[in-house]
Amino acid sequence: MSAIGDAILTLPVACCLRDHFPNAYIGWVIEKKSAPMVRGHQDIDSVIELERGWFTSPKAIRQARATLREHRFDISIDCQGNTKSALAGKLAGAKQRIGFAGKHAMELSRFFNNEKVTPVFNHVTDRSLELLTPLGIHHPNVRWNLPLDSEERRWAMSYRHSIRSSRVAILNPGGTWPSKLWEADRFASTARYLADRYGYHSVVVWGSFEERLMAEEIVELSNKTATLAPDTSLTSLAALIETGDLFLSGDTGPLHMAVALGTRTIGLYGATRPGDSGPYNQVALQLQYESGSRRHRRNADNTAMRAIGVEHVCAVIDEMHADSIARAA
């Protein structure tokens, strides 16, 4: 409902429901920040957008209940596994409320959900799909169908064609936690390596003011092998990522955009586990883990990320290109 990356990672649930129940009415409850990642999705009939913190006041809860009840849902599937996501299903009046059992049933979710699934898999996408087993779905196909606007796609292709290089790498230095950040000079060194060895030009994307400062530093240190990306919305950023030949990022929303769009992806991990939220069926690098509670990991420095050296990333890039040559042969 809230995190952009987790919303993307859960899109296969909607796709799978549509595959198995083509005539079903499928709604997605989500907070407004992440709504662009599901709005317009071909397998979703209705996107119900709630304000952040909607569950913290009686008035907002009553408003959410009234909005949700209009849709007359029969079943709710709680992929987030916390109080607000389970509460949404309860407020909607769904008689069958499917959620997690065990450690993934966080906060008060176990009291609101009435059918519990103990997941076998760790990855967010796989364990979310396991919630479909009570509906008779046991071998789901994983597809994303990330919704992209055709006009934004045209803009992204036009921007891509303005770069005089046969290969483009998208570098994303930002992250929601300080502990997820890799160093600017390491991104810049990687950009130089990509250019010298494989003829890439790198585009450095950014969101917030702080991320732009870091992106500008990368460009400055790149010896003209990297360019600062223009200001983008979430959806135009996704369209830009789709045009890339390689995407390099820490564990954050745009990383999962890249995976959903089929762009070759390298994820850098320190404060989270790629087994839980890694780039699905793509490459993740982790040399050290910042253990501890979620609060600790969110507020820690990036010591674990600094364990990943430029040489480790470049070795993965070399391996990717060697595999591409082998497949082409």
Side-chain angles (χ1 to χ4, degrees):
M1 291 184 67
S2 49
I4 292 166
D6 286 343
I8 296 168
L9 287 170
T10 316
L11 285 175
V13 172
C15 298
C16 192
L17 284 169
R18 181 60 69 205
D19 288 342
H20 287 79
F21 305 107
N23 298 319
Y25 178 81
I26 300 173
W28 192 303
V29 187
I30 194 164
E31 293 178 1
K32 290 185 181 296
K33 179 186 75 171
S34 299
M37 295 297 95
V38 299
R39 196 184 297 138
H41 194 284
Q42 67 184 52
D43 295 318
I44 299 172
D45 295 296
S46 179
V47 177
I48 302 137
E49 301 180 27
L50 301 178
E51 298 289 347
R52 182 179 179 183
W54 64 271
F55 58 99
T56 59
S57 77
K59 180 181 179 181
I61 289 174
R62 288 194 299 271
Q63 289 174 338
R65 182 183 185 276
T67 299
L68 289 164
R69 290 279 170 132
E70 290 176 1
H71 296 268
R72 300 173 64 189
F73 291 116
D74 302 295
I75 302 166
S76 67
I77 302 167
D78 175 17
C79 298
Q80 190 164 350
N82 62 13
T83 298
K84 65 181 177 182
S85 55
L87 176 62
K90 178 71 172 176
L91 293 174
K95 291 183 179 179
Q96 184 179 9
R97 299 184 300 277
I98 304 170
F100 293 114
K103 67 177 183 179
H104 296 297
M106 298 178 289
E107 302 172 352
L108 300 178
S109 64
R110 67 193 66 200
F111 299 106
F112 293 126
N113 295 321
N114 58 16
E115 189 158 357
K116 316 291 177 60
V117 175
T118 302
V120 175
F121 298 104
N122 291 321
H123 196 279
V124 170
T125 297
D126 292 324
R127 69 173 185 253
S128 295
L129 287 167
E130 286 185 85
L131 293 175
L132 303 183
T133 55
L135 304 178
I137 301 172
H138 299 282
H139 302 287
N141 292 320
V142 177
R143 60 185 177 88
W144 314 90
N145 292 349
L146 191 71
L148 290 184
D149 180 78
S150 57
E151 186 175 334
E152 290 179 329
R153 273 187 159 134
R154 285 193 292 272
W155 167 82
M157 285 305 301
S158 176
Y159 181 82
R160 168 65 181 87
H161 290 147
S162 71
I163 299 171
R164 296 182 178 180
S165 177
S166 60
R167 292 169 174 160
V168 168
I170 311 289
L171 309 183
N172 177 49
T176 51
W177 301 355
S179 53
K180 292 183 177 183
L181 302 180
W182 206 41
E183 305 291 324
D185 62 321
R186 301 186 187 199
F187 274 106
S189 295
T190 304
R192 295 196 301 269
Y193 182 83
L194 283 165
D196 294 343
R197 186 72 182 268
Y198 298 108
Y200 281 85
H201 186 80
S202 294
V203 176
V204 190
V205 297
W206 53 277
S208 66
F209 175 73
E210 292 77 12
E211 289 176 4
R212 175 166 181 148
L213 293 179
M214 189 175 180
E216 288 175 344
E217 183 181 359
I218 292 167
V219 171
E220 185 178 350
L221 295 172
S222 73
N223 195 24
K224 299 182 179 180
T225 64
T227 299
L228 183 71
D231 190 7
T232 57
S233 65
L234 274 179
T235 50
S236 59
L237 172 61
L240 179 60
I241 290 171
E242 187 182 39
T243 70
D245 301 288
L246 178 67
F247 187 83
L248 176 65
S249 173
D251 179 18
T252 189
L255 174 84
H256 304 297
M257 286 182 194
V259 173
L261 293 165
T263 303
R264 285 192 308 172
T265 302
I266 301 173
L268 308 177
Y269 284 73
T272 52
R273 295 282 198 189
D276 294 322
S277 59
Y280 197 82
N281 285 341
Q282 300 249 22
V283 178
L285 262 175
Q286 183 166 50
L287 275 75
Q288 186 175 320
Y289 178 61
E290 183 70 49
S291 60
S293 67
R294 180 180 174 85
R295 177 176 292 182
H296 165 77
R297 291 182 290 111
R298 183 174 60 239
N299 296 316
D301 63 21
N302 66 340
T303 298
M305 289 291 283
R306 291 199 303 270
I308 303 171
V310 175
E311 69 277 13
H312 301 124
V313 176
C314 292
V316 170
I317 292 167
D318 290 342
E319 189 173 331
M320 279 183 162
H321 279 271
D323 287 345
S324 296
I325 292 169
R327 285 196 299 270

